[in-house]
């Protein structure tokens, strides 16, 4: 499941705890750091391509790519069966 422009939304951690594999894309590194910190999820941080940082839970079911959403491709983040975007 892809969540574009996810910010620090706890929806991602909730979906992961429900057994889903979740991928977010966020433009601000601090938001990804806050998400993993607030949800108390152990994770690793790697640079997967120029300008693209990947935060990934140790169980690999929650991943957040930090980059411009228009800079991502299926080769980098994969393909998805569902996209979730929440409007407030």
């Amino acid at each position: 499941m892809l969540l574009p422009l996810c910010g620090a939304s706890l929806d991602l951690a909730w979906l992961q705890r429900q057994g889903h594999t979740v991928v977010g894309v966020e433009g601000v590194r601090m938001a990804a750091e806050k998400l993993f910190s607030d949800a108390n999820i152990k994770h690793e941080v790697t640079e997967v391509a120029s300008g693209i940082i990947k935060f990934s839970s140790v169980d690999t079911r929650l991943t957040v790519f930090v980059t411009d959403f228009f800079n991502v491709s299926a080769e980098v983040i994969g393909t998805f069966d569902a996209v979730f975007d929440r409007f407030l």
Side-chain angles (χ1 to χ4, degrees), residues 62-81:
L62 175 57
T63 303
V64 175
F65 291 92
V66 178
T67 189
D68 181 332
F69 184 72
F70 296 106
N71 189 35
V72 296
S73 67
E75 292 79 28
V76 174
I77 67 171
T79 59
F80 304 91
D81 295 327

Side-chain angles (χ1 to χ4, degrees), residues 35-88:
L35 165 69
F36 282 88
S37 175
D38 288 355
N40 197 28
I41 296 173
K42 294 186 188 305
H43 63 283
E44 299 173 347
V45 180
T46 56
E47 184 171 359
V48 295
S50 178
I52 302 176
I53 304 296
K54 176 181 166 183
F55 284 71
S56 184
S57 63
V58 174
D59 69 5
T60 68
R61 286 190 302 110
L62 175 57
T63 303
V64 175
F65 291 92
V66 178
T67 189
D68 181 332
F69 184 72
F70 296 106
N71 189 35
V72 296
S73 67
E75 292 79 28
V76 174
I77 67 171
T79 59
F80 304 91
D81 295 327
V83 177
F84 177 79
D85 194 7
R86 182 174 131 179
F87 292 97
L88 294 179

